[in-house]
Amino acid sequence: GLATLIKAHPNLRFTADLADVAKEIDTVDVIFMCLPTPASELDLSDEKKFLFIAAKNISALLTSRNRSEQKKYVLIVNKSTVPLGTCAKLEQTFTVCGVRNFSVASNPEFLVEGKAVSGSQKPDRVVIGVNSPEAETLLRAVYGNIDPGKIIVVRPTDAEAVKLIANFELYSTVVRTYLVAGRLCETVPGLTFENLIRGVTSDLRIPKWGHYVSLYSGGSCFEKDAKNLLHTLTNAGCDVSTLSFIKSIIEGNDHQLLRFYERAHEVKFS
């Protein structure tokens, strides 16, 4: 588990004090930004968002490195799930704050809840979004113990989009299953959900993951990221049919929970 790994690596240190970070800033190669990005932030201005507040806080440290000469190149990597174009905005924020000799990369995480350690050690893929060979070299070094064939190198905006679309694919698979297959089995007498899904997922083109009935697709990521995708496409002027489809998935997930309450009420469950 995670505790075992931490104990096995005494070089790891944890702090909540930026003064401790300042002691290492002259020699640091890579800084990872791992901030919460709740859906409630989507309509806020950047200066009120956790990620950009953190960016301004570390800018003061970065501008002072190497006796304020900033001779050493530093790579700042965003791990948070964000609206498209956030890396470009971060780069602009750091530049306005006087940071030099740096670049910003995107490296979204795809860890599964409850499997973070194994997912980190043997990931399905590592997506790195970079704008320069120097940034790519540094991130490849960070992931030096990972099979190079698992590393996908793209532009920062592409990496941001990969995370949003990947989570929407997973989210919509779960929701579609109970919204369509589940409702079909409820509505048409004689159907058995388990038999239906076993037959459907025997097709090698259709994954078994997500094709199960559940109370509700909860957690902190799927719905938040679907709303992020919807917000991004809305601001980009996307067509109504696409926006309506994404909305239907979000609303369908909410409906599944309401349907559960309705059925419990119907059978007088208490």
Side-chain angles (χ1 to χ4, degrees):
L2 181 60
T4 302
L5 281 176
I6 292 174
K7 289 179 180 178
H9 295 81
N11 57 315
L12 283 173
R13 284 180 288 167
F14 300 88
T15 182
D17 190 346
L18 276 177
D20 293 327
V21 180
K23 298 173 185 177
E24 312 293 336
I25 203 67
D26 283 346
T27 58
V28 70
D29 294 307
V30 182
I31 295 174
F32 283 90
M33 299 188 70
C34 313
L35 281 298
T37 52
S40 58
E41 281 193 342
L42 288 173
D43 292 318
L44 295 180
S45 57
D46 287 342
E47 60 267 21
K48 294 181 179 179
K49 296 178 180 179
F50 292 119
L51 187 64
F52 287 90
I53 291 171
K56 288 189 176 182
N57 285 340
I58 64 173
S59 289
L61 300 181
L62 291 170
T63 55
S64 67
R65 72 189 193 280
N66 313 132
R67 297 180 179 179
S68 299
E69 295 178 0
Q70 304 188 58
K71 290 182 178 180
K72 190 177 189 310
Y73 173 83
V74 62
L75 176 63
I76 303 157
V77 183
N78 175 49
K79 295 282 300 178
S80 302
T81 306
V82 294
L84 304 192
T86 295
C87 276
K89 286 186 175 183
L90 281 173
E91 188 167 343
Q92 183 179 25
T93 297
F94 286 118
T95 299
V96 169
C97 289
V99 181
R100 302 193 306 274
N101 199 14
F102 78 100
S103 61
V104 176
S106 175
N107 177 217
E109 62 90 3
F110 302 96
L111 300 177
V112 178
E113 188 173 352
K115 300 179 180 179
V117 172
S118 60
S120 295
Q121 295 172 329
K122 295 182 179 180
D124 295 331
R125 80 290 208 193
V126 174
V127 177
I128 57 176
V130 294
N131 282 321
S132 70
E134 192 168 15
E136 179 182 342
T137 298
L138 274 175
L139 272 177
R140 284 188 178 275
V142 169
Y143 292 106
N145 62 332
I146 302 299
D147 177 1
K150 299 283 189 179
I151 298 177
I152 301 171
V153 182
V154 295
R155 296 174 300 176
T157 306
D158 290 331
E160 293 167 345
V162 166
K163 174 64 176 181
L164 290 182
I165 293 298
N167 269 6
F168 185 74
E169 285 288 322
L170 296 171
Y171 183 53
S172 59
T173 297
V174 175
V175 176
R176 288 197 320 268
T177 297
Y178 49 62
L179 195 60
V180 181
R183 291 296 89 78
L184 179 67
C185 291
E186 279 183 7
T187 306
V188 179
L191 288 177
T192 303
F193 180 82
E194 289 76 13
N195 292 341
L196 176 63
I197 295 303
R198 187 171 68 222
V200 169
T201 58
S202 294
D203 187 326
L204 295 180
R205 296 170 300 173
I206 301 175
K208 287 182 168 54
W209 189 94
H211 285 92
Y212 40 74
V213 70
S214 62
L215 173 63
Y216 173 79
S217 180
S220 61
C221 292
F222 283 173
E223 183 165 327
K224 170 183 74 72
D225 294 345
K227 289 179 178 178
N228 187 338
L229 180 61
L230 179 62
H231 184 270
T232 296
L233 288 170
T234 300
N235 287 346
C238 188
D239 60 275
V240 174
S241 60
T242 299
L243 301 180
S244 296
F245 174 69
I246 298 173
K247 288 178 183 177
S248 74
I249 295 298
I250 297 171
E251 292 168 357
N253 188 47
D254 294 334
H255 177 72
Q256 174 69 354
L257 188 58
L258 292 174
R259 179 63 185 142
F260 172 79
Y261 293 145
E262 289 171 358
R263 293 192 68 184
H265 180 72
E266 288 168 4
V267 299
K268 295 179 170 55
F269 178 81
S270 60

